[in-house]
Amino acid sequence: MAQYINKCLISHNIGGRKTFYKWLNTIFNKVDEQRIKEVGANLAAAEWLLRCGASVKWKNKENWVSDYNIMETEYVPQNVIEEIDASESCIMHVGFPYLRGLKYLKRIKFYNCIYIEDTCLNMLPIVKTSLLHLEVISCGNVSDKGIISLSQLKKLKSLYLFDLPEVKDKKDCICILQQNLPDCKIEFPAYPET
């Protein structure tokens, strides 16, 4: 009986820890409209992204910014976000309204993002007037529905999709994307079997 109780406590503790981290990440993603008004869309979005573990690249700059403290000291009002690398970050749909004011955002990379799911991809038309390149890789909560929603991103020039286990009808998704995005190079290679 004692072993069973210990297993339940461990199991409950792990589940509780996951719930706590999801709650905490939701707090990190919460949009602060007042902050956007105070500092502008680009700095507020950069703060959100870096707080959640992503990196940003300013237009006409070579270096990526991933350290929140350095970003504060180096930021100038002329800086606008041109690229986002959200690899292994905790960004989630709650924070996607931060993208609203990013008029020069050309590239986004989602790699191994546990909170990126269909709702997130459905919100990307917020940046449809500027977004040219998108990568969605190893995001286990993205399904066919999310992939098909990308057909709204009419300016896309390249779309790279890989290792999306919840996408069940890859051929249909590719067909729909190709019909709606004729000027976009779409790649969705098969996951190599071991």
Side-chain angles (χ1 to χ4, degrees):
M1 183 65 161
Q3 288 176 330
Y4 175 75
I5 291 171
N6 286 337
K7 284 182 182 178
C8 288
L9 289 174
I10 292 169
S11 176
H12 177 69
N13 188 21
I14 291 171
R17 193 175 316 137
K18 285 182 183 177
T19 303
F20 172 74
Y21 284 125
K22 186 167 185 179
W23 171 80
L24 187 61
N25 288 329
T26 301
I27 299 298
F28 285 159
N29 277 274
K30 187 176 180 200
V31 176
D32 184 346
E33 295 292 343
Q34 186 59 38
R35 184 70 177 155
I36 295 171
K37 288 178 187 173
E38 288 173 7
V39 301
N42 284 278
L43 180 55
E47 290 173 345
W48 160 61
L49 290 159
L50 271 59
R51 187 171 53 238
C52 293
S55 300
V56 298
K57 188 169 172 297
W58 304 114
K59 184 175 183 181
N60 299 323
K61 304 284 182 180
E62 289 187 29
N63 297 330
W64 285 86
V65 179
S66 57
D67 185 325
Y68 188 90
N69 297 315
I70 291 173
M71 189 247 337
E72 284 288 318
T73 59
E74 294 181 357
Y75 178 78
V76 293
Q78 295 80 13
N79 286 353
V80 293
I81 297 173
E82 187 172 56
E83 297 185 42
I84 295 171
D85 184 347
S87 295
E88 299 183 341
S89 71
C90 69
I91 65 170
M92 57 178 60
H93 76 276
V94 176
F96 271 53
Y98 274 116
L99 300 175
R100 209 176 20 227
L102 305 185
K103 306 294 184 207
Y104 300 95
L105 180 60
K106 292 183 179 177
R107 182 181 304 271
I108 301 176
K109 179 180 183 178
F110 298 122
Y111 168 71
N112 200 24
C113 300
I114 62 172
Y115 299 117
I116 295 296
E117 30 81 36
D118 295 343
T119 305
C120 299
L121 300 185
N122 281 322
M123 296 176 78
L124 283 179
I126 293 172
V127 291
K128 70 180 179 182
T129 60
S130 65
L131 192 63
L132 301 176
H133 310 283
L134 177 63
E135 296 178 39
V136 185
I137 305 165
S138 300
C139 296
N141 294 316
V142 171
S143 75
D144 302 57
K145 182 179 176 185
I147 296 302
I148 291 169
S149 74
L150 299 176
S151 63
Q152 300 174 68
L153 303 173
K154 302 295 185 188
K155 285 198 161 189
L156 275 186
K157 297 294 179 201
S158 69
L159 174 60
Y160 185 78
L161 308 167
F162 183 68
D163 186 25
L164 303 173
E166 290 302 309
V167 175
K168 302 303 181 197
D169 192 345
K170 200 163 108 174
K171 286 184 180 181
D172 188 49
C173 289
I174 292 171
C175 184
I176 292 169
L177 289 170
Q178 288 174 334
Q179 287 173 354
N180 289 284
L181 304 172
D183 298 326
C184 182
K185 178 183 178 186
I186 301 166
E187 295 180 76
F188 199 164
Y191 193 75
E193 305 222 1
T194 56

